[in-house]
């Protein structure tokens, strides 16, 4: 049996999104959490990977940069999350919606990875059911898998 493809391009330039009920439920549950964190406390350390330091060698330039772009970056991320929340049950996405899904899934994964202390060197491993973070770790790996398929579908149009 071929591997499951959750996102596939359609001939009309749209994308078919085939997620299982529990996958849609996961997305629907996580999106409001990140939205709340971004809206209520955009300085939270859990958002570090979403807003990496642009000028680590110059604190004044870094502060100026953050003042110039932070609100716009937060607004764009919130807008993507709104699109995903609105389309949590969608089975067809257009290119703009697919891009919003890619961005939102990536953002969620980055925040979750920060919370879990995941590094670039970490590899997939089965989660220990006794681990209190087992559900979060499973979600993290699932989101990586979904992101890969979103990117592949998007790249098919190039």
């Amino acid at each position: 049996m071929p591997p499951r493809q959750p996102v596939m391009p359609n001939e009309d330039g749209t994308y078919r999104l085939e997620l299982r009920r529990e996958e849609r439920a996961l997305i629907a549950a996580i999106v409001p959490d990140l939205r709340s964190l971004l809206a209520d406390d955009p300085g939270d350390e859990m958002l570090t990977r979403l807003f990496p330091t642009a000028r680590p060698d110059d604190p004044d330039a870094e502060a100026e940069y953050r003042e110039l772009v932070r609100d716009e970056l937060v607004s764009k991320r919130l807008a993507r999350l709104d699109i995903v929340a609105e389309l949590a049950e969608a089975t067809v996405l257009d290119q703009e919606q697919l891009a919003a899904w890619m961005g939102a899934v990536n953002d969620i994964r980055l925040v979750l990875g920060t919370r879990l202390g995941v590094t670039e060197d970490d590899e997939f491993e089965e989660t220990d059911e006794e681990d209190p973070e087992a559900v979060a770790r499973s979600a993290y790996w699932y989101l990586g898998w979904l992101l890969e398929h979103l990117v592949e579908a998007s790249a098919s149009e190039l």
Side-chain angles (χ1 to χ4, degrees):
M1 188 159 118
R4 185 167 74 95
Q5 298 291 319
V7 187
M8 295 294 296
N10 293 320
E11 290 184 16
D12 65 358
T14 62
Y15 301 87
R16 187 175 70 245
L17 184 63
E18 293 183 3
L19 299 180
R20 296 177 177 145
R21 186 177 63 248
E22 62 271 13
E23 294 169 332
R24 290 180 187 279
L26 173 69
I27 299 293
I30 293 176
V31 165
D33 290 344
L34 180 55
R35 188 179 205 306
S36 177
L37 185 61
L38 278 167
D40 297 342
D41 191 5
D44 189 292
E45 68 179 35
M46 287 295 114
L47 301 175
T48 302
R49 290 184 185 174
L50 293 185
F51 305 105
T53 303
R55 300 290 307 270
D57 57 324
D58 187 341
D60 292 335
E62 176 64 22
E64 184 177 328
Y65 169 77
R66 286 190 183 274
E67 187 174 317
L68 287 172
V69 301
R70 182 68 170 232
D71 289 344
E72 183 179 344
L73 293 174
V74 169
S75 293
K76 285 181 179 182
R77 284 186 162 91
L78 290 171
R80 290 194 304 228
L81 291 168
D82 289 344
I83 289 170
V84 172
E86 182 180 311
L87 300 171
E89 297 299 321
T91 57
V92 176
L93 303 174
D94 63 27
Q95 289 182 338
E96 183 178 320
Q97 294 164 337
L98 181 76
W101 270 76
M102 280 190 300
V105 168
N106 187 56
D107 289 350
I108 294 165
R109 188 171 178 269
L110 287 171
V111 172
L112 194 51
T114 299
R115 187 182 128 214
L116 294 168
V118 174
T119 68
E120 290 180 17
D121 298 330
D122 288 349
E123 294 183 17
F124 175 78
E125 58 188 57
E126 291 294 323
T127 54
D128 177 2
E129 291 182 22
E130 300 297 317
D131 178 0
E133 298 287 359
V135 172
R137 288 190 187 287
S138 293
Y140 174 81
W141 294 116
Y142 164 74
L143 292 169
W145 174 83
L146 179 58
L147 181 59
E148 178 182 344
H149 286 282
L150 290 163
V151 170
E152 284 176 5
S154 177
S156 71
E157 294 298 311
L158 298 177

